[in-house]
Amino acid sequence: MEAIKEPDWNTIGILGAARGARGSAEGPTGTEHLLAGITTARGPARKALDDEGATRTALMAVLRDTMDRDGAWSGTDDIEASVAAQDVLGDDGDRDSLTGAAARALTAAMRQAQRENAAKFTGVHLLRALLEEDNRAVELLGACRVSPQAVRTRLDGGTGGRQDGLGPLLHATRDILLGRSHYRHMPFWQRWVLRFAGINWASRPAWWVSTETYDQARRLGNGPVGTEHALLAVLATHEVALRYPHLAKASTPTPDTRYAGGERLARLGIDYASVHHALTRDGIRLTADPRPVKKYLDEAARPRAVRSADSCNASTNDPGTGPLVETLLREQTRARQLIHALTTAPGD
């Protein structure tokens, strides 16, 4: 039998995280779980994935979505050739099993470490091995719009190929969605819990907007938080969600009207860049909001009745951004004043 190359401590953590990525699902650990495990460990393998947008938050959101759908995968990951983890990893394995594809990836990672005369095999060895086959790990990357070749380029020290088309002003919102950063105004314990849970903000847009509003005010440095910041938050989250549909559409209710507010603004010709420009450069004079912005946010975030049978799912209970925009346009808010200024021709 071929000698087993031991994993380093970082990779032991990856293997444990891979088992956790299965959730309550039965069956063997597959390549998709190994890939998700890599995103939990520090090091160049995780960084290569993160830089291409395959963050822990993104991968786990897609994985959770596949658990709820039959036929979610096009490939089987060679489940029929599953083997005991201990047969592949020795004492570092457990009593669970590995799909045939996962077993081959781990074996290939060990062989690569042996060829390099490395003391142990690492997350980089494992990631390279996962990218060599047409398996569920590669399929998971594809669902996240990530190219395996771009990840390899990152591992080799290159710049990869991630281009999401978002302007610099939206990078902060995007990085929060992907789990690369977190909202600073939240208490430390809450940030820690959300980071540990890998929350997918895009699945709950009303909650996302209510949190993003305060960060928009902080970034602008405009003093008190007003409905103009809520308007920016609706636009920012909508435009970012459009670029990351695998997150926005995860656990999607039917029909999906959660981003109706942003869609309504887009039809009016309003986008994030134009509102941001108006607030920072045009000097548009705005009168005070009729009510504190918190009142608008809390009122609009109340769960509405849903038609989905899965009423326990938080994303189906989220009312989306439509109710907030409806209220902002109905009352004489600072947001409405801004929209009026941007959509009315001079002299009208």
Side-chain angles (χ1 to χ4, degrees), residues 201-288:
W201 289 101
S203 68
R204 301 178 64 181
W207 182 37
W208 190 14
V209 164
S210 67
T211 309
E212 176 75 14
T213 294
Y214 296 94
D215 218 53
Q216 288 291 332
R218 179 189 63 79
R219 292 176 212 163
L220 285 180
N222 283 354
V225 184
T227 57
E228 70 271 31
H229 302 115
L231 176 63
L232 280 171
V234 170
L235 292 166
T237 55
H238 181 240
E239 291 174 30
V240 170
L242 286 176
R243 302 292 181 172
Y244 291 87
H246 51 287
L247 294 176
K249 296 183 181 301
S251 303
T252 303
T254 302
D256 185 12
T257 58
R258 294 175 301 172
Y259 285 90
E263 292 167 1
R264 180 176 180 179
L265 294 171
R267 289 194 296 270
L268 292 173
I270 302 295
D271 62 14
Y272 183 88
S274 63
V275 174
H276 189 277
H277 187 278
L279 287 171
T280 57
R281 299 182 186 179
D282 286 354
I284 296 176
R285 295 179 62 86
L286 304 173
T287 60

Side-chain angles (χ1 to χ4, degrees), residues 18 58 64 92 96 111 139-140 147 152 170-171 173 178 201-202 222 230 232 238 247-248 286 300 307 323 325 335:
R64 284 191 291 265
D92 293 302
D96 291 335
R111 288 173 179 166
E139 190 174 345
L140 179 56
S147 160
R152 291 191 194 96
L170 292 171
H171 286 181
T173 306
L178 292 176
W201 289 101
N222 283 354
L232 280 171
H238 181 240
L247 294 176
L286 304 173
R307 296 180 181 178
V325 171

Side-chain angles (χ1 to χ4, degrees), residues 283-345:
I284 296 176
R285 295 179 62 86
L286 304 173
T287 60
D289 283 314
R291 298 185 283 158
V293 69
K294 188 176 187 302
K295 296 286 188 181
Y296 293 99
L297 296 173
D298 290 348
E299 179 181 290
R302 292 173 189 156
R304 265 60 171 179
V306 293
R307 296 180 181 178
S308 170
D310 186 14
S311 59
C312 294
N313 189 320
S315 65
T316 62
N317 285 320
D318 188 284
T321 58
L324 175 60
V325 171
E326 174 67 31
T327 304
L328 293 180
L329 290 174
R330 186 172 62 246
E331 299 184 19
Q332 191 58 30
T333 61
R334 291 167 67 86
R336 176 180 173 179
Q337 295 168 51
L338 258 176
I339 293 171
H340 178 77
L342 290 171
T343 56
T344 303

Side-chain angles (χ1 to χ4, degrees), residues 19-159:
R19 291 190 290 271
R22 289 166 46 193
S24 59
E26 297 180 357
T29 298
T31 57
E32 72 274 28
H33 306 123
L34 292 174
L35 184 71
I38 291 173
T39 64
T40 66
R42 295 181 183 275
R46 169 183 164 178
K47 188 175 188 308
L49 291 169
D50 275 8
D51 288 346
E52 285 300 307
T55 63
R56 176 175 179 266
T57 297
L59 294 188
M60 289 306 300
V62 175
L63 270 181
R64 284 191 291 265
D65 198 35
T66 63
M67 293 176 188
D68 300 330
R69 292 187 291 114
D70 294 331
W73 299 101
S74 62
T76 66
D77 223 47
D78 206 4
I79 292 178
E80 62 276 9
S82 296
V83 298
Q86 289 181 336
D87 290 346
V88 178
L89 296 164
D91 292 340
D92 293 302
D94 56 22
R95 296 181 180 179
D96 291 335
S97 59
L98 300 164
T99 65
R104 288 193 296 273
L106 286 163
T107 301
M110 295 178 197
R111 288 173 179 166
Q112 182 61 37
Q114 288 175 333
R115 287 193 293 270
E116 295 175 2
N117 200 28
K120 299 182 178 182
F121 82 90
T122 67
V124 171
H125 293 127
L126 178 56
L127 179 55
R128 287 189 184 278
L130 288 171
L131 300 177
E132 288 303 316
E133 282 195 19
D134 185 14
N135 51 36
R136 284 187 176 178
V138 170
E139 190 174 345
L140 179 56
L141 287 178
C144 294
R145 300 190 170 189
V146 174
S147 160
Q149 183 54 50
V151 176
R152 291 191 194 96
T153 300
R154 295 278 187 185
L155 288 173
D156 293 336
T159 57

